Amino acid sequence: MSKSPAERTVLVTGGSGFVAAHLVRQLLERGHHVHTTVRGTANPAKLRPLHALGDAHPGRLHLFEADLLTEGSFDEAAKGCAVVFHVASPFLMPEKIKDGLRDVVEPALRGTRNVVAAIERTESVERLVFTSTVGAIFGDYADVRAMADQTLSEKYFNTTSTVANNPYHYAKTVAEQAAWEAAAGQDRWSMVALNPGLILGPSLTPASDSGSLFLLDELFKGYFCYGAPDFSFTTVDVRDVAAAHIAAAEHPRAHGRYIVAAAEMTSFHQMARMLLAHHPRDLRLPRTALPHWPVRILGPAFGLSQDYIRGHLGIRFRVDNRRGTEELGLTYRPIEETLLDHHRSWREQRR
C-alpha cells in the first residue's frame, strides 16, 4: 500500500465478530485509522469491546451501521479507505442451520456483492482482503483424499457442497468465487483471500455467535464427557488469523488464496488431553476416545447426518500452509496455548 500505516484508513466489516474484533485491535495497535461496521446498536454486549478499543485509541476507530443484505449500506464506511477487510459472514454449526439459503447463503453471497459494490464506488480502495475458509476448498474431509498427496491445498475449490448439503461451506465457496469474479473484471484494486481452518482462541466479544466458539462450548460443558468422538480439525488461533489479514494487506505482492491453519490437524481427544494436563479435576472433559460405532448410531440424535459422519469420522489429512508461511511470513501459536487461552476466556465470560 502506498501510505504508511499511521496515514492509512481501513474498513473491517462485522467488527463485533470473533475474528473482526481481534483484527480491529491489531490494526489500531499498528497505527491504522479503522472504520468498522456493525449490523445494529441494539446489543450493548456486542459493542462494548469496540467502544473500549475506541477509548484506548482516541479518534482512530469509527463505527458504522451496515447490513449484509442491504444494498449501499457499506458505502459510507468505505469512504477514504485504502483496504477493505471483508470479514462479516455468519458461521453456524450444521445443527444450528434451519434454512441454509436464508441463514448462511444469502447473507454470505449478497453481503459479498454489496461490499464489492461499495469498493467499486470508492476510488481510494486499493485492496480487498477477503475472509473465506478451508470449507471453500473442500466440502467433506473425504474430498481431500482425491487431492494430490491427500493434502489440503489452495489450488482446489469446493465442488461437492450445496444449499442442502453443508450449506455453510457452499455459502463461503460461492461468496469467494463472486469476489474473485469481481476482482477479475477490473484493474484498480487487488484481492487476496484467506482460507482459515477452525478458528479458536480467546474471544473479545462475549456475545459472538461464531460456530467455532459453539463447538468448543460443547466440549467444555461436558457434552463429550463419555468419550471424545474421532473428529479432527484444521485449527488456527484467532490472533494469528487477524495477523494474517494484516500481512495480506501490507505485502504488496500478496495474491491469490492462502490457507491459514496449522499443518497438522487436532482431534477432540487431543484437545481434551491438552486441557486435562492443566485441569485434571475437570470431570466434564473426556478421558477416553470414543469408538466409531456409537457415533454412527447416536450421531443423528445430536444433529449429525450419516453422510456427515461418513465424510468426517476418523479422517485426517495434511495441510499445505507453505504459501502463507513463505510469502506472508505467517507463524502459528502452538495449539495447546490456543486451547488454554480459549478455555480461560470461556471461564471468565461465564462468571
Side-chain angles (χ1 to χ4, degrees):
M1 303 297 105
S2 57
K3 295 182 180 180
S4 69
E7 299 172 313
R8 190 179 310 136
T9 301
V10 302
L11 167 61
V12 178
T13 66
S16 61
F18 181 37
V19 174
H22 278 277
L23 176 56
V24 168
R25 181 167 75 172
Q26 290 188 24
L27 287 164
L28 290 169
E29 290 172 347
R30 291 176 69 83
H32 292 271
H33 292 262
V34 181
H35 293 182
T36 192
T37 62
V38 294
R39 189 166 57 181
T41 57
N43 189 336
K46 278 196 171 187
L47 298 184
R48 195 174 299 120
L50 292 176
H51 289 313
L53 288 172
D55 292 341
H57 303 273
R60 289 201 285 113
L61 178 62
H62 302 277
L63 273 61
F64 298 80
E65 282 196 51
D67 192 308
L68 291 170
L69 300 179
T70 303
E71 186 176 350
S73 67
F74 291 90
D75 289 13
E76 188 65 24
K79 284 182 180 178
C81 292
V83 181
V84 172
F85 298 93
H86 182 35
V87 188
S89 187
F91 175 20
L92 303 174
M93 295 305 294
E95 59 267 32
K96 292 291 183 179
I97 298 173
K98 306 305 180 186
D99 182 323
L101 187 64
R102 180 199 63 207
D103 294 344
V104 289
V105 177
E106 284 193 358
L109 184 55
R110 288 175 59 188
T112 294
R113 287 173 173 162
N114 285 332
V115 170
V116 167
I119 292 171
E120 292 288 350
R121 292 189 287 264
T122 308
E123 290 292 327
S124 59
V125 177
E126 302 170 15
R127 175 163 293 177
L128 165 63
V129 179
F130 184 89
T131 312
S132 188
T133 172
V134 291
I137 300 174
F138 63 84
D140 295 324
Y141 288 2
D143 295 347
V144 183
R145 290 174 167 170
M147 297 180 184
D149 299 321
Q150 297 188 24
T151 300
L152 190 69
S153 162
E154 292 98 342
K155 66 183 178 181
Y156 298 94
F157 260 95
N158 179 353
T159 60
T160 60
S161 295
T162 65
V163 173
N165 173 34
N166 207 335
Y168 172 70
H169 283 192
Y170 176 73
K172 294 299 287 188
T173 302
V174 296
E176 185 188 332
Q177 289 173 326
W180 282 120
E181 289 170 8
Q186 53 76 57
D187 56 11
R188 176 174 58 79
W189 51 273
S190 62
M191 174 177 158
V192 179
L194 300 180
N195 298 78
L198 181 70
I199 304 172
L200 306 174
S203 177
L204 300 179
T205 53
S208 175
D209 295 323
S210 172
S212 59
L213 301 183
F214 174 78
L215 187 67
L216 266 290
D217 230 30
E218 292 186 328
L219 177 65
F220 298 159
K221 286 180 177 179
Y223 287 21
F224 307 114
C225 62
Y226 47 81
D230 189 12
F231 291 113
S232 298
F233 306 93
T234 57
T235 61
V236 61
D237 192 290
V238 64
R239 295 160 292 191
D240 296 338
V241 175
H245 280 74
I246 296 172
E250 294 186 348
H251 280 63
R253 294 178 182 164
H255 67 284
R257 313 167 87 197
Y258 293 90
I259 288 176
V260 183
E264 297 282 347
M265 300 180 81
T266 305
S267 70
F268 263 139
H269 189 218
Q270 288 173 304
M271 291 181 187
R273 287 171 59 191
M274 291 175 194
L275 290 165
L276 283 167
H278 296 267
H279 304 282
R281 297 180 181 177
D282 192 337
L283 299 179
R284 293 169 298 186
L285 296 172
R287 265 67 180 168
T288 60
L290 200 64
H292 288 191
W293 66 264
V295 179
R296 293 194 179 102
I297 294 173
L298 299 174
F302 292 90
L304 300 178
S305 70
Q306 289 296 346
D307 284 342
Y308 181 89
I309 293 169
R310 279 192 295 270
H312 295 84
L313 186 65
I315 299 176
R316 295 176 68 97
F317 50 81
R318 293 276 302 168
V319 178
D320 183 357
N321 62 10
R322 290 175 298 174
R323 284 204 73 225
T325 57
E326 294 173 3
E327 295 181 20
L328 301 182
L330 304 185
T331 58
Y332 297 103
R333 286 171 171 79
I335 180 62
E336 185 170 2
E337 176 186 338
T338 299
L339 281 171
L340 290 173
D341 286 350
H342 191 128
H343 189 249
R344 172 187 49 76
S345 173
W346 179 84
R347 293 199 320 271
E348 290 174 352
Q349 291 177 3
R350 280 153 182 79
R351 285 176 180 168

